[in-house]
Amino acid sequence: METTKHSWLYSQLFTNWKKFEVIYVSLLLLLQVVVFVIAPDSIIGMVSGLCGVLCLVYGMKGRKISFLFGIVQCLAMTYIAWISHAYGSFAMDIIYVISQPIGWFMWGKDEATHSFSKETRKLVFGGAFIAWGIGWFILARLNGQLPYFDSINFVVSLIAQGLYILKYKENWSLWIVVNIANVIYWTILTVQMLTGHNDVASLGVYLSQSALQFALLFNSIYAHHVWNSGEADNEGGAA
């Protein structure tokens, strides 16, 4: 039998997709567009949302192209975090920008995912909890918005991003925690804006980020399953 050969870009973008994945990715992208239609005051927010979804979805598939969408999303998110006074997110987004080219070079074409031993996993998760408490204290001193949630987005995200770049499966467990915290964080800011208790940034920014975090939470839960099943090995079969 003849095997159809595709370019690297085509393989990365379009090969080996399940029907369920196509449907849920389409819905997550549509959600970002709907939010923009509701509150069309932040094009950057929509760009951040769309590229954020694509970055994490291709990351779920274990594909290197994830980092191309990631650098666009991170640049947009850095601006959004700054105007929203989310200083933990702002600092983390700068690190995200730097980490994208690092991840690009470290994700080899045939590299499989990895996993920690049970003992090491406990140390990693325990260290993340301690780091969260330290970050909370520092961000509270800087008068950032909701520092207890923003700290999760800062320090726990930093650990999760490091594990993601190194292709450790445990990164998705930490991302689930981060995404839950971010859903709560951006939803609270959205409600405050709607009720007139917050005049920082804009409603479109808050709505787009709330929708993005819901999308990323769903994707993280699914990615946890995909990576643990071995489906993300060797760039998700996009060879």
Side-chain angles (χ1 to χ4, degrees):
M1 294 179 62
E2 294 186 1
T3 301
T4 303
K5 292 185 178 181
H6 300 293
S7 68
W8 177 87
L9 182 61
Y10 182 94
S11 296
Q12 288 279 303
L13 290 173
F14 302 117
T15 60
N16 293 359
W17 285 91
K18 299 176 182 177
K19 183 177 180 180
F20 166 74
E21 293 172 347
V22 173
I23 293 173
Y24 100 71
V25 171
S26 299
L27 290 175
L28 295 185
L29 293 173
L30 179 61
L31 176 62
Q32 298 300 318
V33 176
V34 169
V35 166
F36 180 74
V37 171
I38 294 173
D41 59 3
S42 179
I43 294 178
I44 292 180
M46 185 180 69
V47 170
S48 172
L50 292 175
C51 289
V53 169
L54 292 172
C55 171
L56 270 297
V57 165
Y58 282 108
M60 172 271 294
K61 300 290 284 183
R63 299 188 181 180
K64 195 172 180 178
I65 200 169
S66 163
F67 296 104
L68 294 183
F69 292 109
I71 196 165
V72 178
Q73 191 267 338
C74 293
L75 287 170
M77 190 58 205
T78 300
Y79 172 76
I80 290 172
W82 177 257
I83 65 174
S84 302
H85 296 183
Y87 299 127
S89 299
F90 175 76
M92 191 60 230
D93 288 322
I94 293 177
I95 296 173
Y96 282 155
V97 172
I98 298 171
S99 72
Q100 300 307 304
I102 296 174
W104 173 270
F105 286 109
M106 292 193 67
W107 278 31
K109 181 177 180 180
D110 298 316
E111 184 180 353
T113 56
H114 314 291
S115 183
F116 290 119
S117 66
K118 186 176 181 180
E119 292 73 20
T120 303
R121 191 179 301 118
K122 289 180 179 179
L123 290 175
V124 170
F125 291 162
F129 180 79
I130 294 172
W132 164 69
I134 296 173
W136 179 358
F137 175 79
I138 293 173
L139 292 173
R141 291 298 186 94
L142 295 175
N143 296 318
Q145 295 198 80
L146 308 177
Y148 35 90
F149 287 123
D150 201 18
S151 176
I152 295 177
N153 190 51
F154 179 32
V155 295
V156 180
S157 292
L158 178 61
I159 298 172
Q161 183 69 0
L163 298 183
Y164 177 71
I165 288 175
L166 296 173
K167 271 199 168 182
Y168 276 95
K169 300 174 183 177
E170 287 77 8
N171 85 89
W172 293 111
S173 296
L174 293 179
W175 281 124
I176 290 171
V177 174
V178 171
N179 295 148
I180 290 174
N182 278 335
V183 166
I184 298 172
Y185 178 82
W186 290 104
T187 300
I188 289 175
L189 294 182
T190 300
V191 172
Q192 289 179 345
M193 174 66 71
L194 289 170
T195 56
H197 294 90
N198 189 344
D199 58 359
V200 178
S202 68
L203 179 60
V205 164
Y206 293 143
L207 282 176
S208 66
Q209 293 310 303
S210 297
L212 173 60
Q213 296 308 321
F214 274 110
L216 299 188
L217 174 58
F218 181 90
N219 184 72
S220 294
I221 294 171
Y222 183 66
H224 185 274
H225 162 73
V226 170
W227 280 45
N228 278 290
S229 70
E231 293 179 39
D233 290 353
N234 307 318
E235 296 195 42

